Amino acid sequence: MATFLYRLGRLAFRRRHFVALIWVALLTLAGVGAASAPPAGTTSFSVPGTEAQKAFDLLEERFPGTSADGATARVVFKAPAGEKMTDAGNKAAVEAAVFDLADGSEVASVADPYAGNAVSKDGTIAYASVKYDVSGMELKDSTKDALEDAAQQARDAGLTVEIGGDALQAVPHTGATEIIGIAVAAVVLVITFGSLVAAGLPLLTALIGVGIGVSSITALAGALELGSTTSILAMMIGLAVGIDYALFIVSRYRAELAEGREREEAAGRAVGTAGSAVVFAGLTVVIALVGLAVVNIPMLTKMGIAAAGTVAIAVVIALTMVPALLGYAGRRVKPAGAKSKLLGRTRKGADEGAEQPEGGQPKANLGTRWARFVVRRPLAVLLLGVVGLGAAAVPAASLELGLPDDGSQPTSTTQRRAYDLLSEGFGPGFNGPLMVVVDAKGSDAPQQVFTDVSDEIEGLDDVMAVTPPQPNKGGDTATITVVPDSKPSSVRTEDLVHAIRDAGGDIEADTGAETLVTGSTAMNIDVSQKLNDALLPYLVLVVGLAFLLLIVVFRSILVPLKAALGFLLSVMAALGAVVAVFQWGWLSGLMGVEETGPVMSMMPIFMVGVVFGLAMDYEVFLVTRMREAYVHGEQPGQAVVTGFKHGARVVTAAAVIMMAVFAGFIGSSESMVKMIGFGLAIAVFFDAFVVRMAIVPAVLALLGKKAWWLPKWLDRALPDVDVEGEGLRGLGDDDKDEGRALVRT
């Protein structure tokens, strides 16, 4: 592989005009596709294999034309202090609002609160339910304006009015902090390279890659039903890995220049060595993201595949466009250690590991000194790192999972205020009603079955109200609405869902009628269970495939095993931090978390996938340098020091950049994106600076030569991918003297 990538790097350097033209053309094509694509339609959230989804599909079949997936709105009215909603003036204001709400081309129905018994017992709160023919994302702006205008007219009449439901949902935005993250990345690159040109290359290539990826997602959003969160996730991961991959190749290019090689040769060797690490690091990320398909939640699968596509683009750009741009940059990209005009000093040792003080011996850089310390005290460093991550992981033992609803919205939103008013007037369970679907098609007395199911549910604990069965036109299926006595995200509500399903099983055994529980609350419970059940198989698949891949890369058994165990430590510590901030509320104000609550159900499995892929990036980049030194004859302890001498500074810069990019998404208005941004940023911190910079060298120092042990039969069976670039020795050496003269001019 190293030889192939070496030739690819040299080709891209020589044919830079052609390479640049191809990527600009792809970016233009993707941009035109995104601009001309029709607006994305509805994004269906289906969870195959769950009872809630089965009930939803049955409703579509037995109750046609009910717009089951259409947007809904609850307009909640509260009377002024000392008044009732039944007072003449307040009633007239509500009826006027209901009349205005019904006058719309996309409105399917509006329920009058006075006709539908939607007034609280104390008479202070009422609500009108509005159903639409299309989803919230497809509603016209004029329809949303009409909804808000009707509410405003009731406010002008003296009522408190808030709007819940998904009719007013907006496309999430990431905020200005995303730009701040990119700015931090730029500063780190300038400090690392001491040159605006060298620092600009990774940023430029990453932005081009993300532009192609996100534009392609936008162009295909309508056809593939991709949600807005998909493009944000692809942007987040694409930017982070795109900058990092280019950073490693540019750093290796400068190191090769410092060895005295001609620029084209240096580009080829940079792609052949660092590029090999980029390929395998990218493969681990792609495996982790595509592996999300095992969960069998279409939305999660699409997010993973889209993000994996963006990562693949980042890898190809790093291997081709980076050497092409290095060709354009020429002498403006200096060798490692050359004097930096920008910083005004000689940067000897930035990549080579030594600073040369006047009249003295070479002074080791910080990475070298740290590695030597770890090699001398490996057990102490190992214990300190493991105990520290274990302490950070403690909150994960209190992890509570759930999916966000209006109750998790900030209190500044009308959706959250409507949620609170409904809880106040009708009880905490009113915001999460359960819909029981009774399929009595195989029963001789469907009406009696409907009544029996309703009576059985009324006798269960934690039931506040049960509506009469509502049969379909065929009379073989009915819906029963159950209002729990506890809030949607509580354990008591989850127990009630299971109790109804257990009771339905007994009824089915007696009558043959099937009883199913659905609704948003039941769907959330089923999704959480499905994700929990899929976590172990997903771990086995992703970690297993990556373990095999790393055996090929490092030609070792213990190094990949150590990498996997270190990842588990960092991901558990990161989950602990997420629980502490988003569930317990620690530092919630600093992070902009206005409402604490259960952690998103898909967060653990998503973090496992993404963090594993990113963790392996640093493992591959750092340990391949150690492997390279060991293969070339150094002792194991010295190989660890050499790996840090050449790679620690760059890995540190890459980790800081990735953290900055992820942290930039904490400013998103979407709670899911905010939580993912924080979780990934803190996970990179734990993995890069504790696991890879401390635990990994400590373990390698303790293992010694055993770390690189591989059974002979397995060594013969494995393909030789030559990540260390052993096959490049001797290639291009005739250009070395000429190159040394050129880079000094």
Side-chain angles (χ1 to χ4, degrees), residues 212-238:
I212 294 173
V214 173
S215 296
S216 300
I217 291 170
T218 304
L220 298 172
L224 301 180
E225 295 186 356
L226 302 177
S228 56
T229 307
T230 303
S231 59
I232 294 178
L233 175 67
M235 181 189 304
M236 182 191 304
I237 297 177

Side-chain angles (χ1 to χ4, degrees), residues 541-577:
L541 174 68
V542 173
V543 177
L545 288 176
F547 181 78
L548 294 176
L549 187 66
L550 292 179
I551 288 178
V552 174
V553 173
F554 296 127
R555 309 195 78 78
S556 163
I557 297 292
L558 296 180
V559 171
L561 180 62
K562 172 262 311 169
L565 294 177
F567 149 74
L568 290 176
L569 277 174
S570 59
V571 78
M572 289 303 299
L575 275 176

Side-chain angles (χ1 to χ4, degrees), residues 71-154:
T72 60
R74 274 179 171 175
V75 185
V76 188
F77 308 90
K78 183 176 182 179
E83 298 182 18
K84 303 285 188 181
M85 289 305 304
T86 52
D87 294 346
N90 295 335
K91 186 174 181 180
V94 172
E95 289 177 340
V98 170
F99 179 81
D100 291 340
L101 288 170
D103 186 21
S105 59
E106 295 179 312
V107 177
S109 64
V110 179
D112 188 320
Y114 300 102
N117 193 27
V119 181
S120 63
K121 290 181 179 179
D122 62 5
T124 60
I125 297 174
Y127 69 91
S129 295
V130 187
K131 291 186 177 181
Y132 295 91
D133 293 322
V134 297
S135 69
M137 296 301 292
E138 293 177 304
L139 281 178
K140 298 177 182 176
D141 290 338
S142 59
T143 301
K144 295 182 179 182
D145 292 341
L147 175 61
E148 293 178 326
D149 290 344
Q152 187 58 48
Q153 289 179 13

Side-chain angles (χ1 to χ4, degrees), residues 680-737:
L680 295 184
I682 197 70
V684 169
F685 172 78
F686 286 143
D687 195 85
F689 293 105
V690 181
V691 174
R692 308 304 154 190
M693 291 290 185
I695 294 178
V696 165
V699 171
L700 291 177
L702 287 170
L703 292 175
K705 291 184 178 181
K706 295 178 182 178
W708 307 108
W709 171 80
L710 186 70
K712 292 183 179 179
W713 64 268
L714 185 57
D715 186 45
R716 291 191 298 268
L718 291 177
D720 185 6
V721 295
D722 190 21
V723 176
E724 302 85 15
E726 185 69 18
L728 303 183
R729 302 186 78 175
L731 286 178
D733 282 346
D734 53 332
D735 297 327
K736 189 170 182 178
D737 294 336

